[in-house]
Amino acid sequence: MPEQSNDYRVVVFGAGGVGKSSLVLRFVKGTFRDTYIPTVEDTYRQVISCDKSVCTLQITDTTGSHQFPAMQRLSISKGHAFVLVFSVTSRQSLEELGPIHQLIAQIKGGVDGVPVMLVGNKCDETQREVDAREAQAVAQAWKCAFMETSAKLDHNVQELFQQLLTLETRRDVRLGVDGKRAGQPRRTDRVKGKCALM
Ligand code: GDP
Ligand code: MG
């Protein structure tokens, strides 16, 4: 019988400055900062429920496109699920995800059954270069899910990780343990309607 790892590994990719660290910190700690601190590579852990038991959700916040190619390949081969983040204020940041998506498909032998979420972050910003319809079309071509988020306003951040886990078909993985919600308690959703809800 194939050994099933007791970790569920999620890897967050995306160009520098799109808000990868902000999304992860918002999810894990419930905090946000306006200053930009480049990330080396950090992994955050929390206990989630996994089939009838528990396992560790490991979220790896990468340095984005500046990650060494060998490290990128290793993160992909070890990862179970992937979050591909761009900023809605930068078309280039969406374009930079193409090669990463291709590499995931190549290393995993296709994307069927691999949970991948395309994420348009900074949806609170008014200076947009990518609208939700366009990103949705990219997600359709990549056969992955799509969501817009704002780490700044805490919009769709819990939902992003929650939905990503529902895409996993090999195991029943969910946030929280014994039906309790993990992460930070949600505040009232002040920005509902401001970002496209997919
Ligand atoms: P990373 O390089 O992808 O990890 O990006 P960071 O998380 O460090 O964020 C880069 C910059 O974007 C920082 O100045 C953040 O404060 C800002 N930022 C991150 N998320 C959002 C967001 O949802 N909305 C806005 N307006 N700014 C954000
Ligand atoms: Mg970072």
Side-chain angles (χ1 to χ4, degrees):
M1 214 164 91
E3 192 196 327
Q4 193 145 63
S5 148
N6 208 29
D7 290 332
Y8 192 76
R9 292 185 287 268
V10 171
V11 188
V12 183
F13 285 118
V18 297
K20 298 177 297 299
S21 301
S22 300
L23 284 168
V24 173
L25 290 175
R26 172 62 87 186
F27 175 68
V28 175
K29 300 198 169 132
T31 58
F32 180 80
R33 351 168 249 248
D34 274 307
T35 45
Y36 177 40
I37 302 169
T39 314
V40 178
E41 178 162 306
D42 281 323
T43 296
Y44 300 85
R45 292 175 181 80
Q46 62 173 247
V47 177
I48 59 168
S49 75
C50 198
D51 294 325
K52 298 220 152 41
S53 176
V54 293
C55 67
T56 308
L57 173 68
Q58 272 195 33
I59 304 174
T60 301
D61 175 18
T62 69
T63 51
S65 6
H66 301 293
Q67 206 185 21
F68 293 112
M71 259 176 93
Q72 210 167 49
R73 300 184 77 94
L74 187 65
S75 314
I76 294 172
S77 50
K78 284 168 59 183
H80 296 107
F82 302 91
V83 180
L84 306 185
V85 188
F86 68 95
S87 164
V88 301
T89 62
S90 158
R91 165 160 286 110
Q92 196 193 326
S93 70
L94 174 58
E95 285 163 6
E96 281 186 34
L97 291 173
I100 295 179
H101 182 264
Q102 262 180 13
L103 198 60
I104 293 172
Q106 186 199 323
I107 291 174
K108 297 295 191 196
V111 286
D112 285 344
V114 180
V116 177
M117 180 74 75
L118 178 65
V119 172
N121 188 43
K122 305 197 187 181
C123 74
D124 56 280
E125 292 271 3
T126 47
Q127 300 288 333
R128 273 186 182 249
E129 285 187 7
V130 182
D131 66 35
R133 278 233 307 261
E134 189 182 338
Q136 180 70 67
V138 171
Q140 218 155 24
W142 290 356
K143 295 190 201 149
C144 70
F146 168 64
M147 203 178 240
E148 288 200 340
T149 59
S150 167
K152 183 171 183 168
L153 300 182
D154 194 9
H155 177 76
N156 264 351
V157 180
Q158 281 282 327
E159 287 81 352
L160 146 64
F161 289 96
Q162 210 160 22
Q163 290 219 15
L164 181 72
L165 297 190
T166 66
L167 301 174
E168 180 55 72
T169 53
R170 293 182 187 92
R171 296 188 238 176
D172 179 25
V173 278
R174 4 172 138 230
L175 298 180
V177 181
D178 296 336
K180 281 193 219 124
R181 284 194 65 150
Q184 301 302 311
R186 280 189 66 78
R187 299 187 319 232
T188 47
D189 202 348
R190 288 181 280 123
V191 289
K192 215 161 203 154
K194 199 162 179 198
C195 304
L197 283 166
M198 295 291 161

